[in-house]
Amino acid sequence: YITLFGVIGTFVAFLSFSILNFLLFEFFSFEKYNPTDGTYSPFKLTLTEILLFSSVMCCSDTVAAVSIIKFDE
């Protein structure tokens, strides 16, 4: 059951993280600072970048949780 919970938990975390990041970048504007000339430029992530970032952030949760569990007990 632990593997099933890990897979489902990772999938739910990925979906929620992706949707929240997409909505965040849709409704709010962000700017990045260029230190060479002191200007600000718009910062926008594409859908592919959001999905890649979400997959990297969500994959470590399951690995960390499974590594804590002692299978001998």
Side-chain angles (χ1 to χ4, degrees):
Y1 290 108
I2 192 69
T3 305
L4 181 63
F5 287 138
V7 170
I8 292 172
T10 302
F11 188 68
V12 168
F14 172 76
L15 282 178
S16 60
F17 199 72
S18 299
I19 291 169
L20 289 174
N21 274 319
F22 178 75
L23 293 175
L24 184 72
F25 277 97
E26 278 294 312
F27 293 113
F28 295 101
S29 61
F30 296 97
E31 292 181 339
K32 59 183 175 181
Y33 178 70
N34 187 355
T36 56
D37 56 1
T39 59
Y40 290 93
S41 59
F43 179 71
K44 182 84 172 159
L45 290 179
T46 63
L47 181 61
T48 304
E49 292 168 336
I50 290 173
L51 293 175
L52 286 172
F53 180 68
S54 299
S55 66
V56 169
M57 298 314 284
C58 294
C59 71
S60 62
D61 272 352
T62 305
V63 174
V66 170
S67 67
I68 293 173
I69 296 173
K70 296 179 183 175
F71 291 105
D72 297 336
E73 296 177 358

